[in-house]
Amino acid sequence: MSVLDSIKNFLIGEEEGEDYEPLVDDEENAVETVDVAQERRNREFKFNTTATVQIVLSRPTDFSEVKSIGDDLNNQKTVLLNLEQVKAEDAKRIMDFLSGVAYANGATIKMTATKTFVIMPKNVGFSGIDLMSEIENSGYSF
């Protein structure tokens, strides 16, 4: 027995002896086949119907805080983003970054007030008119 065979036997187990018999050797001893896909479809699953929605209020002061906001979005948390304390150029960079994270996660961004946005995962709905729709309907467009 070679070294390779001894390693294989250690990891897999001893080789089957002479008394090894296959499960199906002819048609009279045939084992009934089972459709694995059908068995998976027939399984019962129990789901916990209590869901919690986590909302994170974020008031960044500069662009360096954007990574933690992106992590919250990746963790499927709803982020209420207030950009009142951020300079205009940093606010644009923050929104560019978070728009990419939101797009990658299938999230949506709604402007709820001046310099305030809500970023929601795909499983969170939004009812009501957001500020952007309200402003555009009154004749002002960006």
Side-chain angles (χ1 to χ4, degrees):
M1 183 169 11
S2 71
V3 174
L4 184 60
D5 289 335
S6 63
I7 292 172
K8 183 175 121 183
N9 288 341
F10 176 74
L11 294 175
I12 298 173
E14 293 295 323
E15 289 185 17
E16 299 293 331
E18 297 292 325
D19 58 348
Y20 171 75
E21 294 180 23
L23 291 177
V24 178
D25 57 348
D26 57 15
E27 289 186 23
E28 66 186 42
N29 292 334
V31 176
E32 182 180 328
T33 59
V34 176
D35 183 7
V36 176
Q38 183 66 32
E39 286 293 318
R40 287 183 182 153
R41 285 190 294 270
N42 290 337
R43 289 184 188 162
E44 290 184 25
F45 292 100
K46 293 183 181 179
F47 293 102
N48 186 1
T49 58
T50 58
T52 59
V53 176
Q54 294 183 332
I55 300 174
V56 177
L57 174 61
S58 181
R59 295 182 70 169
T61 55
D62 61 8
F63 185 75
S64 64
E65 299 174 39
V66 77
K67 184 182 179 300
S68 64
I69 300 168
D71 291 340
D72 288 333
L73 291 174
N74 286 335
N75 292 325
Q76 302 299 309
K77 295 179 182 177
T78 300
V79 175
L80 185 59
L81 181 65
N82 186 325
L83 297 175
E84 291 175 345
Q85 299 177 350
V86 181
K87 291 186 258 177
E89 76 178 38
D90 281 344
K92 181 170 176 17
R93 290 179 64 206
I94 289 170
M95 285 307 297
D96 287 344
F97 179 82
L98 293 178
S99 294
V101 175
Y103 177 78
N105 288 307
T108 56
I109 300 175
K110 299 287 185 182
M111 184 176 191
T112 56
T114 306
K115 296 186 179 183
T116 304
F117 302 87
V118 62
I119 308 170
M120 301 162 292
K122 59 185 168 189
N123 62 343
V124 175
F126 183 86
S127 63
I129 300 173
D130 61 7
L131 182 64
M132 291 303 291
S133 298
E134 192 174 313
I135 290 172
E136 288 174 353
N137 287 339
S138 61
Y140 186 80
S141 72
F142 290 93

